[in-house]
Each structure stands twice: as structure tokens, then as C-alpha cells.
Amino acid sequence: MPQKKRAALRAATPDRFAMPHARTTPFAMSLTEALGHVDRVFGIDQILADEGQDILKPYYLQSEPGYKRVHSEKGCMHMALNPDGVYATDGYFTQIRNVAYQIRQVQAARVLELGSGMGFNTLSLAPDHPDVQFTGLDLMAHHVKAARKNAGHVPNLRFLQGSYFDISPDLHNADVIFALETLCYANDLDAVARQIAAAMAPGGRFVMYDGFRRADFVTAPEDVQTAARLFEVTTAVTGGFHMIEAWEAALARAGLVVLHSDDLSDQSIAGLRYLHNRAARFFHSWKYRLLRPFLPKYLIRNAVAALVGPYMIEGAGPNSGDTMGAITYSVLVAEKPR
Ligand SMILES: C[S@@+](CC[C@H](N)C(=O)[O-])C[C@H]1O[C@@H](n2cnc3c(N)ncnc32)[C@H](O)[C@@H]1O
């Protein structure tokens, strides 16, 4: 893109990273250095060769120990959102608080979580809402097993194995349906949107949190786009994150009314920089480099996602917001008319 046009675009981009604290965790290395490390250790082209391939099941089978021990809180498989810009594990509950708010708004009796993973979200909500029946649905048997084990004997929840491409009529009539960082794996938005709409009770709410490609993705600097594509592939989103506009349109076609969608990228920066710094230790450590050939491929590639994650949101720096990012972290809330 011509220099002038890029400068104009940058000037037109509002300061998306207004929180001063979001920048207090320094980067361990620049994007150029990060891409150099990734190329030397893994080969960027080798990683990107998986674009378009279905690696979801081997990815989650191999990544279980990484999610359990490294990524986040125990059993949690999503990003922390820290509204004050300082990383704290409380940030893993930010999305859950919004779901609790929606439950209260519609006085829900039945709640369905899509892609419930190891059960962190549903398990956090159920004890505080004893009169609400919660169901978590996940594709992977080992996630469902872990979720059931984590749940113990909480009476008002259950975890079932299944796909959001085929939601059983037994689970229909849900007052709130929510999905945290899972619908990025849907390759047919209309099909999933129809499943969601069919499973919702009239007046019910749908909440999704996820990464999304910005509508102007292709105008982001090339190295930022590469960071985004590496993040996508190394988290098994091999078709690339969807655009939020595509989800809004699919939900509308399925008969839902989009109430709002909000860009929460600035709240994700502190958590992404925290993971970036942990990953940098891996890339700097000779011990890990020696171990690398013996560790499962998809497990160890999570270090790539962690290393490049902040750059796909913030741009290539040196300060966040200096250049365009390629991805947003956003929430979308929709309603089924009565
Ligand atoms: C990044 S994890 C998020 C887990 C959970 N939502 C959380 O916040 O901890 C994505 C989850 O989506 C699940 N998943 C992927 N495709 C799915 C599908 N078609 N149906 C149901 N679950 C799916 C995966 O097995 C995985 O547990």
C-alpha cells in the first residue's frame, strides 16, 4: 500500500488503546525478533502450511497439558480480559460476569454453553444460580471428562459431548446461550447460527466472545498479518478468524436481533502480553529448545501463538496502537424476538 494511504489510515484509526496501564508490561522482544525466533525454531512456512487443514482434534488432544498448566486458570481455556489494563487472573471471569448479567436480565431458567471446554465458565456460574439448569456442550470427549471431574456434584449442571453444528432438540428452549472462543472454529456460520436460533427460547439472549479479523485486515502491515495468521493456525483456527460483520449477518439471517457488538481489544492486551513474556522464556531457554523435538507438535506450537498474540491486536509497535492491528477481541450479544 502507498505510504501516504497507510499514514491516512493510521490517522483515521482511533486510539484503541487508551488505557495507560495496558502498556506497562513491556514486550520481551519486537515483532521482527519474534518472527525470527519462530522461523528458526519452527519454520513460518511449515506452520502456515496447515492453513485450511482440519487439525482441531489433534490440536486439542495434544494441547490439554498446556491449557491445564500454562495457559490460564485451572480448567479455563479463554483469554483474560482486564478492564484496568493490569493482568490479573480475575480477568478470566470478566466474560462470565457478562453472561451472569444476561441470565439476570432474562430471568433465565435454562442456560446452554457451546464449546464448554473443561467446564470453567459453566462451573463458575452454576453455584451462584441454583434455580437455573446449566448444560455445557463440547466436541472433545476428554474435555467433557475433565469438565465432569472438575464439576464434582454440583446438582444444576451437566456436561455433554456434542457439536454446535447439531444441537440436540433436548437442549432447545435455552434462555441464554453463550460461546467463549469456540465459534471461531465454525466453518459454516449460517448453519451454526440456525442451530443457535432454533435452540433459543423466544426472548432469549445469545452471547459470544472471540477473536475476529478486522474488516481492513489486508491493510495491516504484512508482518502483523503474519503474526495473526501464525496465531490462528497455532490455535487450530486454520480457516482464519471470522469477521464480526459476518457473524452479525448470519445471526440476523437466522432471525436473531443483534443488540450490540463491542471491541474489547484493549482489555485483552495485559493478558496477551503476560503470555507473550512467558513464551519468550521458552524461546530463550536452551532447555526447552532441546526438549522441543520430543514434545507433541501442536502442544509446543502454542508457544508461537503466545509469542505473537499481542502484535496481531496491537500492531508492531514500538508502542501499542502505533501501527494497525489485524485482529480484534470482541463480544457480540443478540436476542431472539418473542
Ligand atoms: C478455546 S476452547 C474454549 C473453551 C471454553 N469456552 C472456555 O472458555 O474455557 C474452544 C473449545 O471449543 C470446542 N469446540 C470446537 N469445535 C466445537 C464444536 N463444533 N462443537 C462443540 N465444541 C467445539 C473445543 O473442543 C474446545 O473445548
Side-chain angles (χ1 to χ4, degrees), residues 95 99 112-116 121 164 176-184 192 196 206-210 212 247 329-332:
Q95 297 91 329
V99 176
L112 173 62
E113 178 178 10
L114 306 178
S116 46
N121 308 314
Y164 45 65
V176 170
I177 298 183
F178 71 100
L180 267 57
E181 298 177 27
T182 182
L183 294 177
C184 49
V192 177
I196 291 168
F206 168 64
V207 184
M208 78 180 275
Y209 283 86
D210 227 314
F212 297 92
W247 265 111
Y329 187 95
S330 301
V331 59
L332 191 163

Short mmCIF file of all heavy atoms in Angstrom, two decimals, residues 95 99 112-116 121 164 176-184 192 196 206-210 212 247 329-332:
data_model
loop_
_atom_site.label_atom_id
_atom_site.label_comp_id
_atom_site.label_asym_id
_atom_site.label_seq_id
_atom_site.Cartn_x
_atom_site.Cartn_y
_atom_site.Cartn_z
N GLN A 95 -15.73 -12.24 31.19
CA GLN A 95 -16.76 -12.68 30.25
C GLN A 95 -17.92 -13.34 31.02
O GLN A 95 -19.09 -13.16 30.68
CB GLN A 95 -16.18 -13.70 29.26
CG GLN A 95 -15.09 -13.15 28.35
CD GLN A 95 -13.69 -13.33 28.90
OE1 GLN A 95 -13.47 -13.32 30.12
NE2 GLN A 95 -12.71 -13.48 28.02
N VAL A 99 -22.13 -12.84 31.17
CA VAL A 99 -23.13 -13.91 30.98
C VAL A 99 -24.09 -13.92 32.18
O VAL A 99 -25.31 -14.03 32.01
CB VAL A 99 -22.45 -15.29 30.81
CG1 VAL A 99 -23.50 -16.40 30.72
CG2 VAL A 99 -21.56 -15.30 29.56
N LEU A 112 -27.32 -22.66 28.10
CA LEU A 112 -26.53 -23.61 27.31
C LEU A 112 -25.20 -22.96 26.93
O LEU A 112 -25.19 -21.88 26.33
CB LEU A 112 -27.32 -23.99 26.04
CG LEU A 112 -26.60 -24.84 25.00
CD1 LEU A 112 -26.19 -26.21 25.57
CD2 LEU A 112 -27.52 -25.04 23.77
N GLU A 113 -24.10 -23.63 27.28
CA GLU A 113 -22.79 -23.14 26.85
C GLU A 113 -22.30 -23.99 25.68
O GLU A 113 -22.23 -25.22 25.79
CB GLU A 113 -21.76 -23.20 28.00
CG GLU A 113 -20.39 -22.73 27.49
CD GLU A 113 -19.28 -22.68 28.52
OE1 GLU A 113 -19.47 -23.20 29.65
OE2 GLU A 113 -18.21 -22.13 28.18
N LEU A 114 -21.94 -23.34 24.59
CA LEU A 114 -21.39 -24.05 23.43
C LEU A 114 -19.86 -24.06 23.53
O LEU A 114 -19.26 -23.04 23.84
CB LEU A 114 -21.81 -23.36 22.14
CG LEU A 114 -23.32 -23.15 21.95
CD1 LEU A 114 -23.60 -22.41 20.65
CD2 LEU A 114 -24.06 -24.49 21.99
N GLY A 115 -19.24 -25.21 23.28
CA GLY A 115 -17.79 -25.30 23.36
C GLY A 115 -17.31 -25.04 24.77
O GLY A 115 -16.46 -24.18 25.01
N SER A 116 -17.85 -25.82 25.72
CA SER A 116 -17.64 -25.52 27.15
C SER A 116 -16.26 -25.96 27.66
O SER A 116 -15.93 -25.72 28.82
CB SER A 116 -18.74 -26.18 27.98
OG SER A 116 -18.96 -27.51 27.58
N ASN A 121 -16.41 -22.04 32.76
CA ASN A 121 -17.43 -20.98 32.77
C ASN A 121 -18.72 -21.45 33.42
O ASN A 121 -19.24 -20.80 34.34
CB ASN A 121 -17.71 -20.50 31.33
CG ASN A 121 -16.43 -20.13 30.63
OD1 ASN A 121 -15.60 -19.44 31.19
ND2 ASN A 121 -16.25 -20.63 29.41
N TYR A 164 -21.85 -28.02 18.16
CA TYR A 164 -22.83 -26.94 17.94
C TYR A 164 -23.34 -26.94 16.51
O TYR A 164 -24.19 -26.15 16.16
CB TYR A 164 -22.30 -25.58 18.37
CG TYR A 164 -20.89 -25.21 17.96
CD1 TYR A 164 -20.53 -25.04 16.62
CD2 TYR A 164 -19.91 -24.98 18.93
CE1 TYR A 164 -19.24 -24.69 16.26
CE2 TYR A 164 -18.62 -24.62 18.58
CZ TYR A 164 -18.29 -24.48 17.24
OH TYR A 164 -17.01 -24.12 16.89
N VAL A 176 -30.55 -18.50 27.74
CA VAL A 176 -29.26 -17.87 27.41
C VAL A 176 -28.38 -18.93 26.77
O VAL A 176 -28.27 -20.05 27.29
CB VAL A 176 -28.56 -17.29 28.66
CG1 VAL A 176 -27.13 -16.87 28.34
CG2 VAL A 176 -29.34 -16.09 29.22
N ILE A 177 -27.80 -18.60 25.63
CA ILE A 177 -26.79 -19.47 25.02
C ILE A 177 -25.52 -18.62 24.93
O ILE A 177 -25.57 -17.46 24.51
CB ILE A 177 -27.21 -19.93 23.61
CG1 ILE A 177 -28.49 -20.76 23.69
CG2 ILE A 177 -26.09 -20.74 22.95
CD1 ILE A 177 -28.97 -21.33 22.35
N PHE A 178 -24.41 -19.20 25.39
CA PHE A 178 -23.17 -18.43 25.26
C PHE A 178 -22.03 -19.30 24.75
O PHE A 178 -22.06 -20.53 24.87
CB PHE A 178 -22.80 -17.71 26.57
CG PHE A 178 -22.33 -18.60 27.69
CD1 PHE A 178 -20.97 -18.73 27.95
CD2 PHE A 178 -23.22 -19.28 28.50
CE1 PHE A 178 -20.51 -19.52 29.01
CE2 PHE A 178 -22.77 -20.08 29.56
CZ PHE A 178 -21.41 -20.21 29.81
N ALA A 179 -21.04 -18.63 24.14
CA ALA A 179 -19.93 -19.33 23.48
C ALA A 179 -18.68 -18.48 23.62
O ALA A 179 -18.63 -17.36 23.10
CB ALA A 179 -20.27 -19.51 21.99
N LEU A 180 -17.69 -18.99 24.35
CA LEU A 180 -16.45 -18.24 24.57
C LEU A 180 -15.33 -18.86 23.75
O LEU A 180 -14.91 -20.00 24.02
CB LEU A 180 -16.07 -18.27 26.06
CG LEU A 180 -16.56 -17.11 26.92
CD1 LEU A 180 -18.06 -16.95 26.88
CD2 LEU A 180 -16.07 -17.25 28.34
N GLU A 181 -14.87 -18.14 22.79
CA GLU A 181 -13.69 -18.52 21.99
C GLU A 181 -13.83 -19.91 21.40
O GLU A 181 -12.89 -20.70 21.44
CB GLU A 181 -12.42 -18.38 22.84
CG GLU A 181 -12.20 -16.94 23.27
CD GLU A 181 -11.01 -16.73 24.17
OE1 GLU A 181 -10.05 -17.52 24.10
OE2 GLU A 181 -11.05 -15.76 24.97
N THR A 182 -14.98 -20.23 20.87
CA THR A 182 -15.18 -21.53 20.23
C THR A 182 -15.78 -21.41 18.83
O THR A 182 -15.50 -22.23 17.97
CB THR A 182 -16.06 -22.44 21.13
OG1 THR A 182 -16.20 -23.72 20.51
CG2 THR A 182 -17.45 -21.85 21.38
N LEU A 183 -16.59 -20.36 18.60
CA LEU A 183 -17.25 -20.27 17.29
C LEU A 183 -16.28 -19.84 16.19
O LEU A 183 -16.64 -19.86 15.01
CB LEU A 183 -18.46 -19.33 17.38
CG LEU A 183 -19.59 -19.88 18.28
CD1 LEU A 183 -20.74 -18.89 18.39
CD2 LEU A 183 -20.11 -21.22 17.77
N CYS A 184 -15.06 -19.50 16.57
CA CYS A 184 -14.02 -19.26 15.55
C CYS A 184 -13.77 -20.54 14.75
O CYS A 184 -13.25 -20.49 13.64
CB CYS A 184 -12.72 -18.80 16.22
SG CYS A 184 -12.20 -19.81 17.60
N VAL A 192 -24.50 -22.81 11.79
CA VAL A 192 -24.41 -22.72 13.26
C VAL A 192 -25.40 -21.68 13.79
O VAL A 192 -26.06 -21.91 14.81
CB VAL A 192 -22.97 -22.41 13.72
CG1 VAL A 192 -22.89 -22.25 15.23
CG2 VAL A 192 -22.03 -23.51 13.27
N ILE A 196 -28.27 -22.22 16.63
CA ILE A 196 -28.37 -21.40 17.84
C ILE A 196 -29.79 -20.82 17.94
O ILE A 196 -30.43 -20.90 19.00
CB ILE A 196 -27.31 -20.26 17.80
CG1 ILE A 196 -25.91 -20.86 17.96
CG2 ILE A 196 -27.58 -19.23 18.89
CD1 ILE A 196 -24.77 -19.89 17.66
N PHE A 206 -28.19 -14.43 23.26
CA PHE A 206 -27.01 -15.16 22.81
C PHE A 206 -25.80 -14.26 23.01
O PHE A 206 -25.82 -13.08 22.65
CB PHE A 206 -27.16 -15.52 21.32
CG PHE A 206 -25.89 -16.02 20.71
CD1 PHE A 206 -25.30 -17.19 21.16
CD2 PHE A 206 -25.26 -15.30 19.70
CE1 PHE A 206 -24.10 -17.64 20.61
CE2 PHE A 206 -24.07 -15.74 19.14
CZ PHE A 206 -23.50 -16.92 19.60
N VAL A 207 -24.74 -14.81 23.61
CA VAL A 207 -23.52 -14.03 23.89
C VAL A 207 -22.32 -14.78 23.33
O VAL A 207 -22.14 -15.96 23.65
CB VAL A 207 -23.29 -13.87 25.41
CG1 VAL A 207 -22.08 -12.97 25.68
CG2 VAL A 207 -24.52 -13.32 26.10
N MET A 208 -21.54 -14.12 22.50
CA MET A 208 -20.28 -14.76 22.06
C MET A 208 -19.10 -13.81 22.24
O MET A 208 -19.21 -12.61 22.01
CB MET A 208 -20.37 -15.26 20.61
CG MET A 208 -20.24 -14.23 19.53
SD MET A 208 -20.36 -14.96 17.85
CE MET A 208 -18.69 -15.49 17.55
N TYR A 209 -17.99 -14.38 22.70
CA TYR A 209 -16.72 -13.66 22.79
C TYR A 209 -15.73 -14.39 21.90
O TYR A 209 -15.66 -15.63 21.93
CB TYR A 209 -16.16 -13.70 24.22
CG TYR A 209 -16.82 -12.77 25.20
CD1 TYR A 209 -17.96 -13.14 25.88
CD2 TYR A 209 -16.27 -11.52 25.48
CE1 TYR A 209 -18.56 -12.29 26.81
CE2 TYR A 209 -16.85 -10.66 26.40
CZ TYR A 209 -17.99 -11.05 27.06
OH TYR A 209 -18.56 -10.20 27.97
N ASP A 210 -14.95 -13.63 21.11
CA ASP A 210 -13.98 -14.31 20.25
C ASP A 210 -13.00 -13.31 19.65
O ASP A 210 -13.17 -12.10 19.80
CB ASP A 210 -14.70 -15.07 19.12
CG ASP A 210 -14.17 -16.49 18.98
OD1 ASP A 210 -12.93 -16.64 18.98
OD2 ASP A 210 -14.98 -17.42 18.90
N PHE A 212 -11.63 -11.76 16.14
CA PHE A 212 -12.23 -11.52 14.82
C PHE A 212 -11.21 -10.80 13.94
O PHE A 212 -10.50 -9.91 14.41
CB PHE A 212 -13.48 -10.62 14.93
CG PHE A 212 -14.58 -11.24 15.74
CD1 PHE A 212 -14.68 -10.99 17.10
CD2 PHE A 212 -15.50 -12.09 15.14
CE1 PHE A 212 -15.68 -11.57 17.87
CE2 PHE A 212 -16.52 -12.68 15.90
CZ PHE A 212 -16.61 -12.41 17.26
N TRP A 247 -20.59 -12.63 11.33
CA TRP A 247 -21.43 -13.25 12.36
C TRP A 247 -22.74 -12.48 12.54
O TRP A 247 -23.81 -13.06 12.69
CB TRP A 247 -20.68 -13.37 13.70
CG TRP A 247 -20.03 -14.71 13.85
CD1 TRP A 247 -18.70 -14.98 13.83
CD2 TRP A 247 -20.70 -15.97 13.99
NE1 TRP A 247 -18.50 -16.33 13.95
CE2 TRP A 247 -19.70 -16.96 14.06
CE3 TRP A 247 -22.03 -16.36 14.06
CZ2 TRP A 247 -19.99 -18.31 14.21
CZ3 TRP A 247 -22.33 -17.72 14.21
CH2 TRP A 247 -21.33 -18.67 14.29
N TYR A 329 -10.52 -8.42 19.68
CA TYR A 329 -11.19 -9.34 20.61
C TYR A 329 -12.50 -8.65 20.96
O TYR A 329 -12.50 -7.53 21.48
CB TYR A 329 -10.34 -9.58 21.85
CG TYR A 329 -10.94 -10.67 22.73
CD1 TYR A 329 -10.50 -11.98 22.61
CD2 TYR A 329 -11.95 -10.40 23.64
CE1 TYR A 329 -11.06 -12.99 23.39
CE2 TYR A 329 -12.52 -11.40 24.41
CZ TYR A 329 -12.06 -12.69 24.28
OH TYR A 329 -12.61 -13.70 25.05
N SER A 330 -13.60 -9.29 20.63
CA SER A 330 -14.89 -8.59 20.73
C SER A 330 -15.97 -9.47 21.33
O SER A 330 -15.85 -10.69 21.39
CB SER A 330 -15.34 -8.13 19.34
OG SER A 330 -14.39 -7.27 18.76
N VAL A 331 -17.04 -8.81 21.76
CA VAL A 331 -18.22 -9.50 22.26
C VAL A 331 -19.40 -9.14 21.37
O VAL A 331 -19.48 -8.01 20.88
CB VAL A 331 -18.52 -9.12 23.73
CG1 VAL A 331 -18.74 -7.63 23.90
CG2 VAL A 331 -19.72 -9.89 24.28
N LEU A 332 -20.27 -10.10 21.18
CA LEU A 332 -21.48 -9.86 20.38
C LEU A 332 -22.66 -10.41 21.19
O LEU A 332 -22.61 -11.54 21.69
CB LEU A 332 -21.33 -10.61 19.06
CG LEU A 332 -22.33 -10.34 17.93
CD1 LEU A 332 -21.76 -10.84 16.61
CD2 LEU A 332 -23.67 -10.96 18.16
#
